[in-house]
Amino acid sequence: MSPVTHFFTGWALANSVSLDRRERVLVTVACVAPDIDGLGIVADYFTRDSPHPLEWFSTYHHSLHSLPFAIVVAAMSFVLAVQRWKTAGMAFLSFHIHLLEDLLGSRGPDGYQWPIPYLMPFSHACQLTWRGQWALNAWPNFAITIALLLATFYLAWSRGFSPLEMVSLRADAVFVGVLRRRVPVS
Ligand SMILES: [Zn+2]
């Protein structure tokens, strides 16, 4: 699924337990983190007309969709959080929900499924795929993303904060204020 869907999934998960602001960021970022390996697409784009175009995207995409990287992400969350075990555990879960979402619906336009090399870089043996995988732009992905957006609005309205808190507390307060003026919290 797309990084946007992963982001809002991570946010919803982070709100399912009581975490502070930084811990919510860690759990949300953990749900997007595996796709860092897709950033090679930028390098490929800028070198596409050069005599030696890079092919980082096709070479490295999904190489961080693995258990070892999940452990790295959880360990970083552990170091940066106050509620260390809880945040690391939630970040580990968040990372794996990303993998599950990719298994469900990330088939490329050419029909190619990116297998998830779960034990990379230690072993190529475990390549996860699911035969029923739907396409990246198929309707279930839109439906899931819209449902997550609605959940994000509801959470902001009821709890008083949204993902905007990662960028600016002021912007977040304005956003929550607008929502609560529309639908007063009784
Ligand atoms: Zn992914």
Side-chain angles (χ1 to χ4, degrees):
M1 291 187 193
S2 83
V4 174
T5 313
H6 297 312
F7 178 89
F8 287 108
T9 302
W11 177 256
L13 185 70
N15 278 274
S16 67
V17 290
S18 88
L19 297 173
D20 71 18
R21 185 171 155 224
R22 184 197 290 188
E23 293 160 350
R24 286 194 290 273
V25 174
L26 293 168
V27 173
T28 306
V29 167
C31 203
V32 185
D35 281 346
I36 292 170
D37 61 23
L39 287 177
I41 203 166
V42 179
D44 295 6
Y45 180 81
F46 284 108
T47 59
R48 70 195 187 287
D49 295 325
S50 81
H52 304 287
L54 295 170
E55 290 184 344
W56 286 358
F57 185 73
S58 43
T59 312
Y60 296 114
H61 188 48
H62 269 180
S63 59
L64 291 180
H65 288 60
S66 68
L67 178 63
F69 190 53
I71 293 170
V72 170
V73 169
M76 279 162 60
S77 304
F78 184 88
V79 171
L80 295 170
V82 177
Q83 306 178 81
R84 292 176 186 276
W85 286 107
K86 188 178 183 182
T87 310
M90 291 302 285
F92 190 76
L93 178 65
S94 189
F95 189 102
H96 281 80
I97 290 177
H98 176 121
L99 300 187
L100 179 68
E101 287 182 327
D102 279 358
L103 276 181
L104 290 178
S106 292
R107 193 188 288 274
D110 53 2
Y112 182 67
Q113 282 196 33
W114 296 94
I116 292 179
Y118 193 58
L119 299 177
M120 278 277 275
F122 301 109
S123 161
H124 292 269
C126 182
Q127 302 276 339
L128 306 176
T129 52
W130 176 51
R131 276 179 38 210
Q133 189 179 87
W134 59 75
L136 190 59
N137 60 356
W139 71 264
N141 285 7
F142 287 102
I144 290 167
T145 308
I146 288 168
L148 287 166
L149 272 175
L150 291 174
T152 301
F153 274 77
Y154 174 75
L155 286 166
W157 173 79
S158 62
R159 303 190 70 181
F161 48 82
S162 76
L164 282 173
E165 68 172 9
M166 298 180 193
V167 191
S168 152
L169 284 180
R170 256 186 62 137
D172 191 40
V174 169
F175 176 65
V176 170
V178 169
L179 288 178
R180 287 183 170 173
R181 267 197 300 284
R182 300 245 155 179
V183 187
V185 184
S186 54

